[in-house]
Amino acid sequence: MRRRIRVAITVLATTLTLTAAGCTSSGQNGPLQAGESTLTKVLTSKKISIGVFADAPPYSVLNSSGQYEGFDIDKATALAESLGAEIEYVSTTNASRIPMLETQKVDVIIAALTNLDERAQVIALTRPYASEGQLVVVPADSDIRTYDDLDGRAVAATRGSVPATILETQFPQARASLFEAVADSIQALRSNKVDALMESTAVVADIRRSQGDAVRVLDAPALSPSLVSFGAKMGDQLWLNYLNNFIMNYNISKSANDSYNRWLGVDVPDLIK
């Protein structure tokens, strides 16, 4: 009987030791511990890594002073402030956004991520923080007037983007010229290496501002109207809940409206409030 009691006490003590060890956190500044939420990591470390574009105005650019600025950067700054965290920006491209989340190289992606169904199968997408469509830009003297005129023409788009998908599925007769960065697509249009460029309404607005009368936008309805979200690693509901709550509050704020007007020239659409 006494032996049984001693065994039971030993087992209980071992269990309590293991439980205590499991409750002790470590490596808060490193990769997530098993079962740990990104929210907990960010709140503890006071640091947040955010994937953003370096060359996609007006969403985000790395300027000549080595500072990031743009529509998405306003969101990133506000998010970090809400968490009391210091930002580490990580430059991303259209094609690298999802892999960065899957490999935990960033805590969140804020880089004009259209919330497509196929993306929602591999990463978590928040409620939208912006809305957009896709437009086609051509040189001012181009004979391209309608979408039908794109048949047989070279059309620039960025790899892994919505325009790249549109070209493949809706314009199979066009010759898609895919580039790694938006800036490369714009340069290809400037240097007449392509006949047209397809990009989001926000990017096209910036192209029109910078290129002036040298380009024009096809007078046609925007293609694939869509919503734009933050991206997070799949399976972290606590983090996703926080991001959704942040966006909900931010989109009805004066800061959001100021940002929309500064970078996109309009008020926050009612659709995303």
Side-chain angles (χ1 to χ4, degrees):
M1 180 69 176
R2 290 178 181 175
R3 176 178 174 80
R4 290 180 182 175
I5 292 174
R6 285 198 298 273
V7 170
I9 291 174
T10 300
V11 171
L12 177 60
T14 301
T15 302
L16 290 173
T17 300
L18 291 173
T19 301
C23 292
T24 302
S25 62
S26 62
Q28 293 295 337
N29 294 332
L32 287 177
Q33 304 300 304
E36 181 185 32
S37 172
T38 297
L39 178 60
T40 303
K41 179 175 77 77
V42 170
L43 290 174
T44 302
S45 68
K46 302 296 182 184
K47 295 180 180 179
I48 182 171
S49 57
I50 303 179
V52 298
F53 289 135
D55 55 3
Y59 281 107
S60 176
V61 295
L62 185 62
N63 64 28
S64 58
S65 300
Q67 301 295 315
Y68 284 94
E69 63 178 7
F71 183 71
D72 283 346
I73 302 307
D74 289 351
K75 313 299 170 287
T77 301
L79 174 63
E81 288 177 351
S82 78
L83 294 160
E86 177 186 346
I87 302 176
E88 176 195 1
Y89 286 118
V90 182
S91 180
T92 188
T93 65
N94 278 307
S96 68
R97 290 174 296 186
I98 290 176
M100 276 188 170
L101 288 171
E102 293 176 327
T103 56
Q104 297 185 42
K105 290 183 178 178
V106 294
D107 298 317
V108 61
I109 288 287
I110 307 179
L113 191 66
T114 308
N115 55 4
L116 303 177
D117 290 343
E118 52 265 35
R119 287 175 178 162
Q121 294 171 17
V122 292
I123 62 170
L125 293 169
T126 64
R127 63 179 295 149
Y129 72 94
S131 61
E132 65 178 15
Q134 312 302 317
L135 300 172
V136 172
V137 181
V138 297
D141 59 356
S142 172
D143 62 351
I144 297 174
R145 298 289 172 181
T146 69
Y147 289 140
D148 289 340
D149 295 334
L150 295 177
D151 285 1
R153 303 298 185 94
V155 184
T158 48
R159 199 178 309 278
S161 68
V162 171
T165 301
I166 292 174
L167 285 172
E168 179 184 357
T169 58
Q170 298 183 36
F171 298 91
Q173 301 306 314
R175 292 187 289 114
S177 295
L178 304 184
F179 297 87
E180 293 300 326
V182 173
D184 297 332
S185 296
I186 296 172
Q187 182 55 39
L189 184 67
R190 282 192 194 132
S191 57
N192 296 315
K193 292 182 179 178
V194 295
D195 302 303
L197 176 151
M198 186 182 294
E199 261 300 341
S200 69
T201 50
V203 173
V204 168
D206 190 77
I207 292 173
R208 294 180 73 176
R209 280 194 295 269
S210 63
Q211 300 301 306
D213 294 336
V215 299
R216 61 179 170 81
V217 179
L218 290 195
D219 185 13
L223 297 163
S224 298
S226 56
L227 299 171
V228 183
S229 300
F230 292 2
K233 192 173 187 298
M234 184 77 85
D236 190 346
Q237 190 61 48
L238 189 63
W239 182 226
L240 182 62
N241 289 347
Y242 184 84
L243 294 174
N244 280 329
N245 193 72
F246 164 78
I247 293 170
M248 178 176 63
N249 290 324
Y250 180 81
N251 278 355
I252 60 174
S253 71
K254 182 178 182 299
S255 295
N257 210 55
D258 289 347
S259 178
Y260 237 96
N261 274 278
R262 178 185 179 189
W263 299 108
L264 306 184
V266 295
D267 290 339
V268 176
D270 290 337
L271 176 66
I272 63 172
K273 287 183 178 180

